[in-house]
Amino acid sequence: MKKVLASALAIVALALSPLAAQVPVNLHGRSADGANGVVAAAKPEASQVGVDILKKGGNAVDAAIATAFALGVLEPNASGVGGGGFMIIKLANMKEAVVVDFRECAPAASTPDMYKFDEKGKVIDNATFEGGLSVGVPGEVKGLLYAFDKFGSKKLSRAQVLQPAIDYAEKGYKVTVNLEQIIKDNFEKLKKFENGGAIYFDGGLPYELGATIKNPDYAKTLKAVAAKGADAIYKGEIAKAIVDEVRKRGGILSLEDLANYQVKERKPVVGTYRGYTIMSVPPASSGGTHLVELLNIMENFDLAKTGEGTPATGHLWAEAMKLVFADRSKYMADTDFVQVPLKGLASKAYAKELAALIAADKSMPSATAGDPSKYESGSTTHLSVMDKAGNMVAITKSINYFFGSGVVVPGWGIIMNDHMDDFVPKPGSANSVEPGKRPLSSMSPTLVLDPKGRSFMTLGSPGATRIFPTVAQVISNIVDHGMSVQEAILAPRYFQMASGKLNVEGRVPINTYNALGPLGHELALKLDWDAYFGGVHAVLYDYDAKMLRGGADPRRDGQAAAY
Amino acid sequence: MKRSLLSLLAILALAAGLAAQSPAYNLKSPIASKPAFLSSAGQSADVEMVKVLLDRSKIPFKADAQAKAPALAASGAKTLVLAIGGSSKGLGAAGISAEAELERVKAVIAEAKRLGMKVIGLHVGGEARRGELSDKFILAALPACDYFIVVADGNKDGLFTKLCSERKIALDAVEKISKAGDPLAKAFK
């Protein structure tokens, strides 16, 4: 009888549950450990896709590519076929890591003065980040397949790594708290460019928590990629549809731009931090170089001694970031077009000079008269993969703003990027628009070797200019403060441009918050868990336990998966 | 045993009935007349969502997110519907300051009262559409409302409950934006 009653009560509870449904943002259980392989990405389903590929005999690259394609479906606001990014790969048998640069580039018809300004100095019609003129030549499919073909295990077919993404696009995925809010926040954009609304609205209103979103048009696109490779996107029917829609929305993208797009394989920026080797991406991302520069500066201070979460440590981070951002605004651009003093920026001697400018008891008002202009929005995604062989892959990719330019290719479900916004929209800057040039980025997919030279960690983050400071803080949390990878990700973060306010995450210790003001910092208190500071996904090899440990970020929908 | 089973079945049937039943609203009878005039209080995109709710509810309306007071009389509307929620992005796009928007909203409400129109307020933006900027518009507009609908997530701190109970304004909370159309439709005669 008791059993019957219990069952009945359970049924009643179930029947009533929709009335009281609450899905909390879960801070726990984001990490995962495995002896064979770990994938950490911005969606649990995407991480699982990667693990399933590893189980099928794929290597870390195969898993990363499958995860990356799945993210384009599951996190459509952040990345996809219409975007681009950077990837860094080090297979266990490679002496050096390689960077695959699949960042968007400016269309051939672009010019430094292509954007017009109103009398208040604002770009007319938000043309740098909304509509066709904001669209750069996308690199995602060429980039991902380049890596798959060259560095994949060759045990799995292209169709096999694309199939999970196709399945999610066809069968749908659930809307999370995070995605619901992002769709609501971008309601106007999706409505204005109605093709986006047709996918992400339910009868004219944003899809809400728990609803299922399907994108069969995007499934069709991915099927074409599975069948024909990158040519499916860069030539023929889909290319024409992309160009037609972008031009219909005021853009200048051409079929030639798509056909001529080139992935670039580059040498990584390499530095060290307290004996660990840091490998990250060179320009057109500023991220890797400045990550190394920032860590080089911080290496001059004994952070283990100043302590985690203390005013002294927070002050040092803030001051070092000011110095790095001053350099960034002055020097950084696409090195294919502009001379950038990369060696100097990444040198220990230069960092020592900069570190000497930092006073322990006083904040410098500004590291330069600098231009703290923004370069990127926070809508990007990062994934990390590592397997038991020590193969490491880190990919950061993006369509720039949430839902990119808003331009969605009808019949194919592709959201086009607005990465032209990452250029300075006027002539005269190292980062001004030029045909074929890649706009400056902060993306910093990063690999770390331990002091013995072994594969140690793969990590990265979305978050625009916050990316490399966030990556640096997570590395320091592990190296200096002995945190686990998940603790390092959860710890509150700081962000400071060359001038202006020091942004601190809400959970920073109150004593630290109170002590930073008297040092001269003007503080901006952010939310307790603020996506402003990015979303780090990392995998670390714990050699003592012979275990891969994945960490993921609750500031987004991050989740690691392992086996 | 049979009796127990029967009782359990009755409980189940009751529970299922409760779950299936349309929700009981605090607004017991319609207060508003058609047509409606929709405007924004705070220039958030929420006004666009309320447009969809009105469309779905088949309530005839005119909409102008930046309407000035004289527009009400010219519209011939009998009810003012306000989509409340501040957005710095929306204000920027509209080219107005928060202060100017507050003045506009107050003037529109005053005109609605002068014309004898009912005022229905909606806050559909949830928790994310709260905070200093939005709260300015909530505090300015809510006291003038005859009826208020809020997406429950935006009322976690009980602000809407408190303000409405103090002023004896009927308040209905709904779980999702898509559920706000039903009480909105029922508010109209």
Side-chain angles (χ1 to χ4, degrees):
Chain A
M1 182 60 200
K2 265 188 186 170
K3 253 189 197 172
V4 177
L5 248 179
S7 310
L9 286 174
I11 293 167
V12 171
L14 194 66
L16 293 173
S17 64
L19 300 174
Q22 286 288 325
V23 178
V25 178
N26 187 10
L27 297 176
H28 303 286
R30 300 272 179 172
S31 61
D33 298 341
N36 298 299
V38 175
V39 180
K43 292 283 174 182
E45 301 94 331
S47 297
Q48 191 56 48
V49 163
V51 165
D52 291 343
I53 291 290
L54 291 173
K55 284 179 180 172
K56 284 179 183 166
N59 68 5
V61 174
D62 299 329
I65 301 310
T67 304
F69 275 117
L71 281 170
V73 177
L74 297 160
E75 197 191 23
N77 54 283
S79 74
V81 165
F86 298 90
M87 175 183 339
I88 182 164
I89 300 169
K90 188 176 182 306
L91 302 180
N93 62 4
M94 289 163 62
K95 276 191 177 171
E96 286 186 348
V98 294
V99 170
V100 178
D101 173 348
F102 56 103
R103 174 77 160 163
E104 296 89 334
C105 65
S110 60
T111 59
D113 58 355
M114 63 192 276
Y115 297 108
K116 306 301 172 203
F117 296 82
D118 64 19
E119 66 282 358
K120 290 177 183 166
K122 193 170 168 262
V123 174
I124 291 171
D125 293 335
N126 300 325
T128 57
F129 61 87
E130 208 172 274
L133 214 51
S134 68
V135 178
V137 187
E140 165 141 331
V141 174
K142 273 195 179 173
L144 295 184
L145 293 186
Y146 176 90
F148 175 72
D149 291 338
K150 188 163 180 184
F151 303 107
S153 69
K154 318 285 189 291
K155 291 177 186 168
L156 298 173
S157 68
R158 190 168 62 220
Q160 280 176 295
V161 297
L162 275 150
Q163 193 56 47
I166 294 167
D167 289 343
Y168 277 115
E170 279 184 335
K171 293 171 188 165
Y173 54 91
K174 296 284 183 194
V175 175
T176 62
V177 172
N178 190 23
L179 181 57
E180 175 187 297
Q181 196 53 50
I182 289 168
I183 296 174
K184 281 181 187 169
D185 288 346
N186 290 277
F187 183 81
E188 276 176 301
K189 189 198 282 188
L190 291 166
K191 191 166 187 244
K192 182 174 174 183
F193 300 97
E194 65 284 356
N195 301 326
I199 301 167
Y200 300 105
F201 293 166
D202 178 14
L205 289 175
Y207 274 107
E208 295 183 271
L209 182 64
T212 299
I213 295 181
K214 296 178 183 176
N215 190 349
D217 289 343
Y218 197 70
K220 198 169 71 169
T221 297
L222 295 178
K223 280 179 186 172
V225 174
K228 299 177 192 166
D231 278 356
I233 300 297
Y234 294 86
K235 293 173 181 172
E237 188 184 10
I238 300 178
K240 186 174 181 312
I242 290 171
V243 167
D244 286 351
E245 185 63 17
V246 170
R247 294 181 88 93
K248 181 181 162 188
R249 306 293 181 173
I252 52 174
L253 190 70
S254 69
L255 286 170
E256 291 72 29
D257 287 326
L258 287 171
N260 294 336
Y261 180 83
Q262 286 188 338
V263 172
K264 301 204 173 184
E265 195 177 304
R266 301 184 190 273
K267 282 183 180 295
V269 172
V270 181
T272 61
Y273 184 65
R274 305 196 203 280
Y276 289 81
T277 303
I278 311 294
M279 300 173 287
S280 193
V281 296
S285 176
S286 68
T289 308
H290 290 312
L291 170 67
V292 169
E293 184 184 10
L294 180 56
L295 288 170
N296 280 345
I297 296 171
M298 297 306 285
E299 204 176 38
N300 289 279
F301 305 98
D302 188 349
L303 298 184
K305 197 172 169 188
T306 58
E308 187 266 324
T310 62
T313 300
H315 170 70
L316 290 170
W317 277 112
E319 298 300 278
M321 283 184 217
K322 279 182 190 168
L323 294 162
V324 171
F325 273 104
D327 280 347
R328 185 184 189 273
S329 60
K330 187 170 178 184
Y331 298 115
M332 265 298 168
D334 183 350
T335 44
D336 287 350
F337 288 77
V338 177
Q339 284 276 347
V340 179
L342 290 177
K343 279 191 180 170
L345 289 169
S347 83
K348 296 277 187 195
Y350 178 60
K352 197 167 186 177
E353 270 181 38
L354 293 179
L357 300 173
I358 297 175
D361 58 350
K362 198 178 169 191
S363 160
M364 62 184 97
S366 169
T368 176
D371 168 26
S373 55
K374 64 157 188 63
Y375 291 101
E376 291 172 88
S377 89
S379 181
T380 297
T381 196
H382 177 82
L383 69 102
S384 288
V385 185
M386 194 167 172
D387 63 24
K388 66 180 176 185
N391 298 318
M392 299 191 288
V393 184
I395 301 177
T396 309
K397 65 194 192 98
S398 179
I399 51 175
N400 203 16
Y401 281 49
F402 286 127
F403 292 105
S405 61
V407 176
V408 178
V409 184
W412 301 98
I414 303 167
I415 302 169
M416 299 308 296
N417 71 82
D418 56 353
H419 266 125
M420 292 297 284
D421 190 58
D422 288 352
F423 285 113
V424 171
K426 288 178 178 174
S429 162
N431 189 34
S432 294
V433 180
E434 291 183 58
K437 191 177 184 180
R438 281 151 148 88
L440 188 59
S441 169
S442 290
M443 291 185 220
S444 315
T446 298
L447 306 178
V448 181
L449 305 179
D450 72 5
K452 291 180 181 171
R454 300 175 297 185
S455 298
F456 178 64
M457 182 162 60
T458 163
L459 80 165
S461 175
T465 44
R466 280 82 67 197
I467 291 176
F468 67 81
T470 282
V471 171
Q473 286 170 77
V474 171
I475 291 172
S476 168
N477 286 341
I478 291 167
V479 172
D480 295 315
H481 304 304
M483 292 185 194
S484 72
V485 65
Q486 189 62 38
E487 287 168 342
I489 288 169
L490 295 179
R493 296 174 190 156
Y494 301 93
F495 178 71
Q496 169 73 64
M497 294 288 281
S499 58
K501 291 182 180 178
L502 168 59
N503 298 280
V504 294
E505 206 167 17
R507 293 166 296 117
V508 73
I510 187 66
N511 289 341
T512 298
Y513 183 84
N514 289 335
L516 284 167
L519 287 173
H521 296 283
E522 193 184 348
L523 299 173
L525 189 64
K526 296 287 183 181
L527 299 174
D528 279 1
W529 299 94
D530 204 319
Y532 171 83
F533 295 97
V536 174
H537 301 121
V539 185
L540 174 152
Y541 200 94
D542 179 342
Y543 282 93
D544 292 336
K546 294 189 170 50
M547 190 65 73
L548 291 154
R549 304 198 189 279
D553 208 318
R555 296 169 183 86
R556 312 261 168 151
D557 285 336
Q559 175 68 56
Y563 94 107
Chain B
M1 181 67 190
K2 259 187 188 173
R3 236 195 227 173
S4 309
L5 266 176
L6 278 173
S7 310
L8 283 172
L9 283 173
I11 294 169
L12 282 174
L14 186 68
L18 274 174
Q21 205 174 46
S22 65
Y25 296 117
N26 291 317
L27 185 73
K28 300 300 177 195
S29 57
I31 56 156
S33 301
K34 298 169 186 169
F37 190 95
L38 169 65
S39 193
S40 168
Q43 298 302 316
S44 70
D46 299 348
V47 72
E48 296 295 326
M49 298 182 212
V50 177
K51 267 186 200 173
V52 177
L53 294 173
L54 287 165
D55 272 333
R56 282 186 182 182
S57 303
K58 298 189 171 42
I59 296 162
F61 70 98
K62 285 184 180 162
D64 182 352
Q66 298 168 45
K68 298 275 171 41
L72 293 188
S75 73
K78 303 268 176 32
T79 300
L80 173 65
V81 177
L82 284 173
I84 301 169
S87 160
S88 46
K89 187 176 154 196
L91 288 167
I96 48 175
S97 66
E99 289 67 33
E101 172 69 351
L102 264 177
E103 289 310 309
R104 184 192 69 81
V105 170
K106 286 176 186 169
V108 166
I109 290 172
E111 179 68 357
K113 293 290 178 190
R114 192 187 70 77
L115 293 169
M117 297 168 77
K118 293 288 183 190
V119 181
I120 298 176
L122 290 102
H123 184 272
V124 299
E127 194 176 13
R129 191 69 71 199
R130 287 291 311 278
E132 198 181 337
L133 181 63
S134 278
D135 288 2
K136 273 185 195 173
F137 295 103
I138 294 165
L139 294 171
L142 187 144
C145 291
D146 299 289
Y147 178 43
F148 208 94
I149 300 169
V150 62
V151 171
D153 192 36
N155 193 26
K156 274 185 182 168
D157 62 353
L159 177 70
F160 294 95
T161 308
K162 180 174 177 284
L163 293 176
C164 286
S165 76
E166 280 170 2
R167 290 163 179 80
K168 298 193 173 14
I169 299 166
L171 169 71
D172 278 308
V174 292
E175 188 192 344
K176 296 176 172 187
I177 297 172
S178 52
K179 308 261 186 195
D182 188 42
L184 181 61
K186 288 189 164 73
F188 282 84
K189 294 169 190 164

